[in-house]
Amino acid sequence: MLNLLPATLRFLLGSILWLDFSQPPAVLPARTPLSFQLRHEHALTNDSRVIFSNVDPSFAADSFVMSTSNIQTHRPQSAKAFHSARLRSIRYDQSEQVLWDTANVLGPNVEERETLLTLAKMTSNAYTSSTASDWYTPEGWNKSIPFGWEPDADGIRGHIFVSDDNSTVVLSIKGTSAGWITGGGGPTVRKDKLNDNLLFSCCCARVGPSWSTVCDCHQGGSKCDQECLERSLMGENLYYSVGVNLYNNITYLYPHANIWLIGHSLGGSLASLIGVTFGAPVVAFEAPSEKLAATRLHLPSPPSTQHITHVFHTADPIPMGTCTGIYSSCGLAGYAMETSCHLGKVIRYDTVTQLGWSVDVRTHSIVQIIDRLLSEDWTQEGQEGRTVPEAKADGEDCVDCFNWEFGSFKGGS
């Protein structure tokens, strides 16, 4: 219902409905394993309504089990303060102090390969029906679960897994359905591509003179109107706004639960943007860099974003920010994936140097991550005793779109 209201009114209602973080979820001892089952499927209808489909427990014959660790996260003290700071930044380009609560919550143990593998399988299933042959299952999983979302629904979709004790919810978000990468496609391709080109391009997907841009902010040469760019991301039917609405719906369903977000590709970037908004733990696989999008969305910046973990490998040009230019694989398919700076920390698998992989956009598929990357412990000189590479933040010298000039050009000389 919130989707039907103007953005300003939705901000106001969001401040009323925002989950009260003054009493954070109880923190269990670190390394406590949690067992999850599929409880719901979520989707966006063609008229931008978030819908849910419940999954009968009798269909979920087995569980996804993973280890946990304590994670420090920062959450706005109130939605009112968060939205006030964001609106002030949008309208006046001025900063406003947001007071943050520091909380220790139970999150996934991202230093363990088996945990990442389990989360990757849960993420992969967001692309498919549980009756399909490519559904990843724990042993004993019953694959006759009905597919809840409408087959022709053309927006964001995924699954909601809940721990046996209802203490933790895992929200998975589907990434881009693109046949040129995954061999698939489907009804969400058009909206997925629009969101990709708005979020991850430098200027409205203006890669070359022959390109049709997704907004009218290009002002000739390498000039782009900043205010126009920011407005283009504010649409109520675009995925970030829908994702915030989805998260609020889940807090209504599970008001006392700790929520994790996971996703692959576009779904991973959306999970990160929602996670930085609400201070929720995030694991994103092969996600395009979203730091520039967070700035353009005027999301208030918390003291730290270390609750967000990106997992990708160096042979995938999309998260690496190298799938650029008219004649790149992305460019030839009409995608402007031009950013390279991530929020949070990055578990970067150097598959090019260590394993001899060739840089190829086809390695972007989540199936490649599951079957080739996470199937065995990672071994690397200097990181003995680890099963995955050490997580590190992108360097401070990471700059997106350095060859563009952004400013107020519309209507100017």
Side-chain angles (χ1 to χ4, degrees):
M1 181 175 292
L2 286 178
N3 266 9
L4 303 178
L5 301 175
T8 303
L9 184 54
R10 288 172 60 199
F11 279 141
L12 176 61
L13 288 176
S15 67
I16 297 172
L17 297 175
W18 191 291
L19 184 62
D20 179 9
F21 288 124
S22 60
Q23 296 295 329
V27 179
L28 299 174
R31 314 293 176 181
T32 299
L34 287 177
S35 176
F36 295 89
Q37 289 186 327
L38 178 64
R39 293 274 186 92
H40 317 277
E41 293 167 324
H42 70 82
L44 185 70
T45 64
N46 295 335
D47 59 355
S48 297
R49 289 181 298 110
V50 173
I51 58 172
F52 296 90
S53 173
N54 294 332
V55 175
D56 192 312
S58 64
F59 286 111
D62 212 334
S63 301
F64 292 91
V65 181
M66 69 191 81
S67 68
T68 60
S69 64
N70 288 329
I71 294 177
Q72 185 177 88
T73 185
H74 302 276
R75 296 169 168 173
Q77 287 188 351
S78 71
K80 181 179 180 181
F82 181 90
H83 291 315
S84 174
R86 188 177 178 215
L87 287 173
R88 186 179 185 87
S89 179
I90 291 171
R91 291 173 176 172
Y92 308 113
D93 197 25
Q94 296 177 352
S95 299
E96 182 175 304
Q97 184 180 14
V98 178
L99 298 179
W100 302 89
D101 285 328
T102 300
N104 289 310
V105 301
L106 205 62
N109 179 13
V110 296
E111 294 189 353
E112 183 181 273
R113 177 186 63 83
E114 289 290 341
T115 296
L116 294 181
L117 178 61
T118 299
L119 290 172
K121 290 180 178 181
M122 294 165 75
T123 300
S124 176
N125 289 342
Y127 284 95
T128 188
S129 153
S130 51
T131 60
S133 60
D134 54 352
W135 175 272
Y136 280 96
T137 82
E139 185 177 355
W141 184 276
N142 187 328
K143 296 176 64 175
S144 59
I145 305 171
F147 212 15
W149 40 260
E150 302 168 16
D152 60 347
D154 66 349
I156 189 173
R157 62 176 60 156
H159 296 112
I160 299 169
F161 300 85
V162 183
S163 62
D164 292 343
D165 60 0
N166 284 350
S167 68
T168 307
V169 173
V170 178
L171 168 62
S172 74
I173 303 174
K174 183 186 75 65
T176 300
S177 291
W180 60 284
I181 298 176
T182 64
T188 71
V189 168
R190 183 182 62 84
K191 280 189 178 177
D192 291 348
K193 187 174 184 179
L194 171 64
N195 279 269
D196 278 324
N197 282 336
L198 282 171
L199 289 168
F200 313 121
S201 71
C202 291
C203 184
C204 305
R206 168 74 181 190
V207 176
S210 62
W211 278 56
S212 297
T213 57
V214 292
C215 48
D216 61 351
C217 309
H218 180 242
Q219 298 299 298
S222 59
K223 292 184 177 180
C224 194
D225 190 85
Q226 182 70 20
E227 185 178 349
C228 173
L229 270 178
E230 294 167 359
R231 286 199 309 269
S232 71
L233 292 178
M234 301 296 175
E236 295 180 11
N237 62 341
L238 295 178
Y239 284 179
Y240 171 74
S241 297
V242 171
V244 169
N245 188 20
L246 171 62
Y247 186 96
N248 280 326
N249 273 273
I250 294 174
T251 63
Y252 180 80
L253 290 172
Y254 297 96
H256 303 295
N258 182 30
I259 299 175
W260 306 349
L261 296 116
I262 60 174
H264 167 257
S265 192
L266 170 61
S269 299
L270 291 169
S272 176
L273 292 171
I274 299 167
V276 79
T277 300
F278 293 98
V282 174
V283 178
F285 296 93
E286 307 297 316
S289 307
E290 80 292 23
K291 192 172 185 177
L292 182 61
T295 300
R296 290 175 173 176
L297 286 164
H298 290 266
L299 302 185
S301 180
S304 170
T305 58
Q306 295 302 292
H307 59 288
I308 297 169
T309 303
H310 286 274
V311 182
F312 61 83
H313 62 83
T314 56
D316 183 352
I318 292 178
M320 291 292 292
T322 58
C323 198
T324 58
I326 298 174
Y327 300 110
S328 67
S329 298
C330 295
L332 291 172
Y335 290 81
M337 314 297 282
E338 299 175 308
T339 55
S340 58
C341 304
H342 295 82
L343 294 170
K345 56 189 179 181
V346 174
I347 296 176
R348 185 181 283 102
Y349 285 82
D350 190 358
T351 53
V352 173
T353 301
Q354 299 294 321
L355 301 181
W357 291 15
S358 298
V359 175
D360 190 331
V361 74
R362 289 173 295 182
T363 65
H364 181 69
S365 167
I366 187 65
V367 175
Q368 297 283 325
I369 310 308
I370 294 169
D371 292 349
R372 297 181 65 192
L373 192 65
L374 296 176
S375 59
E376 297 180 356
D377 288 348
W378 182 256
T379 56
Q380 184 174 336
E381 186 177 351
Q383 295 192 18
E384 290 79 7
R386 303 186 60 88
T387 60
V388 303
E390 183 181 0
K392 299 178 180 179
D394 281 340
E396 294 183 2
D397 58 344
C398 186
V399 178
D400 284 316
C401 303
F402 62 88
N403 55 336
W404 281 84
E405 182 180 356
F406 299 98
S408 299
F409 300 117
K410 280 202 162 191
S413 57

